[in-house]
Each structure stands twice: as C-alpha cells, then as structure tokens.
Amino acid sequence: MRLRGADIIARGLARAGTRHVFTLSGNHVMSVFDAALDAKLPLLHVRHEAAAVHMADAWGRLTGEVGVALVTGGPGHANAVSALYTAFAAESPVVLLSGHAPLNELGKGAFQEMAQAEMAAPACKASWTVRSAETLGEDLARAMRMAKAGRPGPVHLSLPSDLLEAQVDAELPAKEDFFPEPGSSGVNEEILDALQKAKKPLLIAGPALGNARGRAVLRQFEETTGVPAVVMESPRGVNDPCLGLLADVLAAADVVVLAGKRRDFTLRFGAAFAKNCKVIEADAAVNHWPAAGKTWAKSPWLEEVRSAIAFRPAQWKSLASRPEGPVHPVEVGRAVQKLLAAPEAVLVADGGEFGQWAQATLQAPHRIINGPAGSIGAALPFAAAAKLALPGSNVVAMLGDGTFGFHSSEIDTAVRCELAYVTVVGNDSCWNAEYQIQLRSYGAARAHGLELLPARYDRVARGFGAHGEHVERPGELAAALQRAASAASSGRPACVNVMIERLPAPVFRRRDA
Ligand SMILES: Cc1ncc(C[n+]2csc(CCOP(=O)(O)OP(=O)(O)O)c2C)c(N)n1
Ligand SMILES: [Mg+2]
C-alpha cells in the first residue's frame, strides 16, 4: 500500500484503539495533524507540552490504555520531557511522539535540531528516533507494546519530519501488534509460603497497583489471605498522612513483600522495617496471587493494620477555623468530601502541604496523585484527563496556590473541551512546603524566597470562561463548593480559591493516637 509516513502514524494509532491524542502543534508534526482527519483520530490540544504528557499519564492510569501525547520537535519536546519524569515514577503507560528535524538535514544546523531521544531516555523505559519511513508502523507498535508490557512506563519516539512527509510502500501493523502478550503468572509458592507462616505479614504494592483495578485486586488478596495489602505511591513514604499510623505497623511486621514497590527513599532504603524483618522483592503481578485457592486462617493483625491506616486525630471531626478565617485545611477537606461521595468520583491531589492535607482528609473511588516523582504542577491536566476518561463522574482537583500557576492556562482546555472538574486552590500565599523546611532547618528569621501574592485564582479561572468562587471565611465554604459543583454538572469547570491557614501537613505516629 502507498502511504504517507504521517498516515502510517495516524492510522496506526487509530488501529490501536487510541481514543484521544493529547497534543500541541508545531511545524514538525503538522503532517500528523493533517493525517488525523482521514484516520478519524481525535486530537485534544492543550496549552503546554508538559500538560499533554500529564493528560496522557492520567489517561493511562485511569483507563489502563496507553496514553498518547504528540508534540513538536526541539523546544516542544524539551517541554514535554519534564512530565515524562512523573509518568515514569508512577509507572504509567504513555507514548510520547515528538516531531524531529528531518534526517536529511541533521548535523547541518536544522531548525530545532536536538538530540531528542537522548534527552528523553533517562525518564523513559525506551527512547529512540525512527530511521526510515517504511518502519514507522513497526516502531509505533513496538513503542505501544513496550509502554504496557511488564512494569508499565513511558516510551518515546522521535519522528523526523521528512519521514512523516515521505510516500512509501508499507503495510500497517495488525491490531494485535500494538498490545503486549499477557504476562505470565506471578504465583510464587515461596512467597506465599513465607506470608502464610508469618505472624505479622504485609504486602506493600507500588504505584502501578494504585489505580482502582489494582486496589480491587489487592482487596481481593486481603480477603483470601488475611495479609494486609497497602499501596505506597507518595514521595512522603511512611510519612504520607493518608496512610495514618502505617510507620508503626511497618516497624512491627515480620515478613514484608514489596510487590512492584521499590525499596527506595520512601522506605528509608529498608530502614523503615524491623532489623529481623524478612523483606521479599517481587513484581507487581499480584493479580495472580490470590489464586492460592483456599482462604487462609485470619488473625487480628489484618484489622490492626487496617485501623492503623485509618487513624486520623479524633479532634479533626469537630475542628473549627476562626469564623473570620483563614480556613483550616481539615475544614476544607470535610466540606469537599461531600463532592466525592458520588460513585466513580475522582480525587486529584497535588502540590505541597495542601496536597498532603487533601490526601489525609479525603476518600474517593479513584485517586490520582503526582506519585513517587514528587513533582508538583500536574493537577489541572490530570483532572481534565480524568473527566475525559470518566465523563459521568465528579472530578475534584486539590492543589496549592504555587502549584496552580504551573498549568493554570489548562483551564482554557477544560472550558473549550467541556471537561468540567472542580478545582480547589488552597491559597496560603506561599510555597509552604519549602517554607516549613526553612522554619524547621534554618529558623523563622532565615525564611525567605517563598512568598506569593494572595492572588485571586478564581478570577484567573473566570478569565478563561470557567466558574470562579472566592472563600475567605469557613462559613462561606459549603455554599461556594455547592455552586462550583452545580456549574460543573452543567458542563462548566469551576475554581474555588480558598484562603487557608499556612500549616505543616500532619505526620502520624502511635504516640499521637
Ligand atoms: C516540579 C517541582 N518543583 C518544585 C518542587 C518543590 N516543591 C514541593 S512542594 C512546593 C511548594 C508548593 O506550594 P503550593 O502549591 O502553594 O502548596 P503549599 O505547600 O503552599 O500548600 C515546592 C516548591 C517540586 N516538588 N516539584
Ligand atoms: Mg501555598
């Protein structure tokens, strides 16, 4: 078949079942924009290349399908790379397709020429430049397969513009070529045996099991075996306040299985466990483990761990901010929880101390956080992609005021595409997470460089055509959130700017209980 390179890419993506391509235009990829028309490949265009990758990342996490981002070469690619880091740490299946200077001009100082594959490589499972138009389809299928196979993660392909514009004789890969073979069974008798013999066993899962499907698998595993299974996906590790008193039970465990969870800084490289604890590192294929068959005998340990994780200070229930404000983050959480009560609701939490407060105070069937990368800024693209993946669900993004600035122009994308989420900005006019470090490490007299304006982010949102609410006093919160939720339910994204108290996020230990 005679095909243009760009048509191979667009038709290949369509054949792989790609439902959206998250993109920002540029000279090198306009042929793919053109080819997308005939391939009926929907393009969703954003305001910054990193946002395209963040959307692909959230899409991958929520749907399990590969999230596809398409950007232009040189600076467009460089902008996109920062977001690969988050997807890589979160083990999210993403393919980044970047336009690239034409092969026949390389080394001559071509427009936006750059060693793109090399630049993306440290944040990818694999990263390469396509070398001939004839293999474009094969390269694309391989990238899509690799993103999902084994431990998922981002894969990058650079697409030289002369290859995209060339006419060649080529066949599109078959549909099944875009998908990996199903993984082999993860059953490991030795691991099951160690868990069964343990008095206080724990299974700690990595971020690839943090989505709703992974959590359902882990719940099933707990039911069959009585072994508590916990997902750890936060850069705060055992200090993640949404895991309550996990640090204490972790220190008491005698056998710990790390299922796709790295023994990294979040577990203090292993120092989070007791000295004589047996630690087994395994892959994330827990889905096969409950096949252990019969239900195991239960011990009170499972309930002990569950209640440790559920621990929150009793005084949070009645905690009240001063009537004149600012609002305590716990009170924000209590009010926002009502928006997340709906089935399939999605909580997006990002950025700084406020993001930690949100994670500690809020529960939702789906949760997307910035993950082990600890990189702030992705919340608005994440929320937009969540609304696209689960259109009927309530999506709430909680983020700090500093974090809001990274991708605030994505409110344009949300309004334009009717991706009606509610975002709640915890506005303490400060990069508070770092301010807290200064207070602890250097003292109040040496705190500097972290002030922000008490800006009206609700008005920023209104400027893009979204609904905006501003809250200074706790008494205004419930009604403002209600109005925001009704704007969202009629298709208009909403931004609630809440002036909050500048507090450090909580860290729980048994002595506090
Ligand atoms: C990309 C990136 N840049 C910088 C940081 C360091 N950092 C972590 S939290 C934070 C402050 C965030 O401020 P804000 O969003 O206002 O939340 P707050 O801590 O004030 O609640 C900063 C600068 C980071 N984690 N990621
Ligand atoms: Mg702040």
Side-chain angles (χ1 to χ4, degrees):
M1 200 174 7
R2 200 78 185 148
L3 283 172
R4 175 175 55 161
D7 292 307
I8 298 176
I9 293 295
R11 289 205 210 174
L13 288 171
R15 180 167 282 186
T18 307
R19 290 194 270 163
H20 300 280
V21 173
F22 306 104
T23 188
L24 204 159
S25 56
N27 297 15
H28 295 122
V29 292
M30 295 326 290
S31 57
V32 184
F33 270 55
D34 181 64
L37 286 175
D38 296 328
K40 300 197 168 37
L41 183 69
L43 303 183
L44 192 154
H45 62 101
V46 302
R47 299 293 302 268
H48 189 287
E49 287 84 358
V53 175
H54 287 315
M55 284 187 79
D57 175 357
W59 179 268
R61 293 195 219 178
L62 280 171
T63 65
E65 299 165 17
V66 173
V68 179
L70 170 70
V71 305
T72 199
H77 174 74
N79 278 347
V81 165
S82 63
L84 287 176
Y85 181 76
T86 298
F88 192 42
E91 298 174 4
S92 177
V94 166
V95 166
L96 169 64
L97 301 173
S98 303
H100 186 278
L103 285 186
N104 59 20
E105 292 179 7
L106 289 191
K108 298 181 187 167
F111 174 58
Q112 297 180 338
E113 178 180 350
M114 190 171 69
Q116 295 183 183
E118 288 86 335
M119 184 183 190
C124 283
K125 284 178 77 174
S127 175
W128 71 96
T129 306
V130 178
R131 291 288 156 193
S132 89
E134 283 80 1
T135 65
L136 272 166
E138 235 175 277
D139 284 294
L140 178 66
R142 183 149 62 95
M144 302 279 282
R145 279 199 308 273
M146 287 180 80
K148 275 196 75 164
R151 195 185 275 258
V155 176
H156 164 66
L157 273 193
S158 269
L159 308 171
S161 58
D162 51 347
L163 305 188
L164 291 174
E165 282 149 23
Q167 297 280 345
V168 287
D169 283 317
E171 295 299 323
L172 288 184
K175 182 167 175 135
E176 56 272 19
D177 291 343
F178 291 93
F179 300 91
E181 299 279 314
S184 61
S185 161
V187 175
N188 180 325
E189 292 302 326
E190 216 175 300
I191 294 176
L192 289 174
D193 194 49
L195 285 172
Q196 200 159 16
K197 286 193 179 126
K199 288 207 167 49
K200 297 185 169 184
L202 263 182
L203 184 139
I204 303 180
L209 288 161
N211 54 26
R213 286 177 309 282
R215 286 180 194 273
V217 163
L218 294 174
R219 258 196 310 280
Q220 176 66 42
F221 177 79
E222 274 190 347
E223 291 306 324
T224 319
T225 62
V227 174
V230 189
V231 177
M232 280 184 77
E233 54 173 348
S234 161
R236 302 220 174 175
V238 294
N239 288 342
D240 178 357
C242 95
L243 295 176
L245 295 168
L246 178 72
D248 290 313
V249 287
L250 210 57
D254 56 353
V255 173
V256 172
V257 172
L258 301 177
K261 167 76 192 138
R262 294 174 204 273
R263 197 199 301 220
D264 59 9
F265 70 99
T266 63
L267 290 168
R268 293 191 281 122
F269 308 103
F273 310 118
K275 267 207 178 60
N276 51 0
C277 174
K278 183 180 169 75
V279 180
I280 305 171
E281 287 169 82
D283 68 20
V286 196
N287 354 3
H288 306 284
W289 294 8
K294 44 194 183 313
T295 307
W296 298 4
K298 298 277 158 31
S299 82
W301 170 243
L302 175 60
E303 275 318 309
E304 190 182 329
V305 175
R306 282 183 179 168
S307 70
I309 291 172
F311 169 83
R312 300 291 184 274
Q315 61 272 29
W316 279 15
K317 287 207 178 67
S318 54
L319 188 149
S321 322
R322 283 189 300 275
E324 70 279 17
V327 188
H328 193 289
V330 165
E331 206 163 350
V332 181
R334 264 203 321 253
V336 169
Q337 184 62 51
K338 299 191 177 72
L339 272 52
L340 293 170
E344 296 296 299
V346 184
L347 165 67
V348 176
D350 186 10
E353 299 307 276
F354 186 67
Q356 298 299 318
W357 282 108
Q359 288 175 47
T361 53
L362 294 169
Q363 301 280 332
H366 301 276
R367 193 181 84 139
I368 311 183
I369 65 169
N370 41 18
S375 173
I376 62 175
L380 298 185
F382 279 175
K387 197 63 197 174
L388 199 62
L390 299 165
S393 64
N394 287 354
V395 177
V396 179
M398 305 284 289
L399 71 171
D401 51 332
T403 300
F404 182 85
F406 282 66
H407 285 299
S408 50
S409 59
E410 288 309 322
I411 294 176
D412 166 319
T413 309
V415 170
R416 189 163 30 83
C417 303
E418 290 189 28
L419 300 171
Y421 52 73
V422 173
T423 185
V424 177
V425 182
N427 191 336
D428 55 10
S429 316
C430 180
W431 300 99
N432 186 28
E434 311 307 315
Y435 176 67
Q436 295 300 329
I437 293 177
Q438 288 187 331
L439 290 185
R440 283 197 305 273
S441 306
Y442 311 105
R446 300 184 69 79
H448 74 125
L450 300 170
E451 293 295 321
L452 294 168
L453 295 173
R456 292 290 301 268
Y457 299 110
D458 55 310
R459 290 185 180 155
V460 173
R462 281 191 206 186
F464 285 113
H467 179 86
E469 293 282 344
H470 177 63
V471 172
E472 292 191 1
R473 285 172 280 277
E476 301 159 355
L477 189 57
L481 285 168
Q482 204 42 57
R483 287 190 296 270
S486 29
S489 62
S490 58
R492 204 164 159 223
C495 171
V496 184
N497 184 51
V498 187
M499 303 312 290
I500 58 159
E501 255 184 89
R502 195 185 283 186
L503 296 168
V507 174
F508 304 130
R509 291 293 183 269
R510 185 83 69 191
R511 58 179 185 270
D512 313 319

